[in-house]
Amino acid sequence: MKAALSEKEGLASLVLRLRAEGISDNRLVAAVEQTPRSMFTPPQYMDLAYSPRSIPIECGEYMEGADLSLRLLHNLEIEAGQRVLEVGTGSGFTAAALSRIVERVVTVDRYRTLSQLAAQRFSRLGFSNIVVETGDGQERSPQEGTFDRILVGAAFQEMPRLFAERLVSGGKMIAAIGEADQPQTVVRLTKIGSRFEKEDLFSVRFQPLLKGRAAVL
């Protein structure tokens, strides 16, 4: 009973913080409520599951703080029936929350360990509309189809124009742009013809997007 109460209190606190920022998307709140972050959080950091703090996970990576994770999803402007590509599976929480709203999620991570652990969590929770892949999210073939939305949990040094061909017309992408040792800007890119229309959203500090599949881990 105590764990359930803690989960509810954490979610309630998160919702209040988001509303203070002007984010009151009931679909997102419901998606998070149905997808407990504690199930994606390492046991030793369970008390931080709904906090704004980033949380260390396997392979030297981090799970984004709850506030940032929901802010990114809010700005992705997802809708029912969409196909979403996530580059950077991490713990798997973001893909799981997305899958509560959209039709299909393809999530890619360069670390086999993270992909396998996320897939195990999805299986345990009964998700059937998430495809988990291990590899380089930048090297997907256009023949694999296009997406309505793309979310990248890492930073590009410059505009990621190669992703334009992977979006449908009018499709949107959320990514961070900037140098690795500097604050980066999260942008929303909307595909107009063969180019992107860019909107600056807010500042973050993300790790740079690395090329290739990890040789170990």
Side-chain angles (χ1 to χ4, degrees):
M1 181 65 69
K2 185 177 180 182
L5 181 61
S6 176
E7 193 87 42
K8 290 178 181 178
E9 287 178 340
L11 177 60
S13 180
L14 170 62
V15 169
L16 287 175
R17 294 196 304 271
L18 292 174
R19 284 180 178 167
E21 293 185 27
I23 300 174
S24 56
D25 189 331
N26 291 331
R27 296 172 313 151
L28 279 181
V29 172
V32 176
E33 191 171 23
Q34 297 165 22
T35 314
R37 276 178 64 90
S38 59
M39 298 192 70
F40 295 83
T41 307
Q44 65 270 39
Y45 298 111
M46 203 80 76
D47 59 331
L48 298 177
Y50 290 91
S51 82
R53 291 179 53 185
S54 58
I55 299 171
I57 58 174
E58 297 81 6
C59 303
E61 294 295 298
Y62 286 84
M63 181 180 182
E64 291 146 355
D67 301 56
L68 176 56
S69 181
L70 271 291
R71 197 180 302 142
L72 291 169
L73 291 179
H74 170 74
N75 282 288
L76 194 57
E77 299 181 344
I78 51 179
E79 300 288 346
Q82 293 179 333
R83 296 181 73 244
V84 179
L85 170 64
E86 179 193 32
V87 179
T89 306
S91 70
F93 170 76
T94 303
L98 277 167
S99 74
R100 297 286 189 187
I101 299 173
V102 304
E103 181 178 327
R104 190 173 184 81
V105 180
V106 176
T107 182
V108 186
D109 204 286
R110 65 190 303 269
Y111 291 105
R112 182 179 64 256
T113 297
L114 294 181
S115 297
Q116 291 175 342
L117 289 172
Q120 290 168 13
R121 293 179 183 119
F122 300 149
S123 177
R124 232 174 10 245
L125 290 167
F127 290 105
S128 59
N129 62 336
I130 305 176
V131 177
V132 185
E133 299 179 357
T134 302
D136 187 337
Q138 300 181 83
E139 295 181 351
R140 294 182 61 85
S141 166
Q143 281 69 43
E144 293 178 295
T146 54
F147 296 88
D148 301 285
R149 298 289 186 268
I150 297 176
L151 176 62
V152 181
F156 297 89
Q157 287 193 336
E158 56 189 22
M159 282 280 285
R161 302 185 191 283
L162 62 89
F163 278 89
E165 65 185 20
R166 296 167 198 171
L167 279 171
V168 300
S169 178
K172 299 183 180 184
M173 173 177 177
I174 293 287
I177 300 178
E179 299 293 331
D181 58 349
Q182 301 287 333
Q184 300 115 6
T185 301
V186 172
V187 299
R188 180 167 51 221
L189 304 172
T190 303
K191 183 176 178 179
I192 307 294
S194 60
R195 64 179 181 82
F196 278 139
E197 182 178 275
K198 180 169 76 76
E199 301 170 72
D200 292 346
L201 299 176
F202 52 87
S203 296
V204 291
R205 287 298 295 269
F206 276 168
Q207 296 182 31
L209 184 65
L210 301 176
K211 291 186 176 182
R213 175 174 171 162
V216 295
L217 303 179

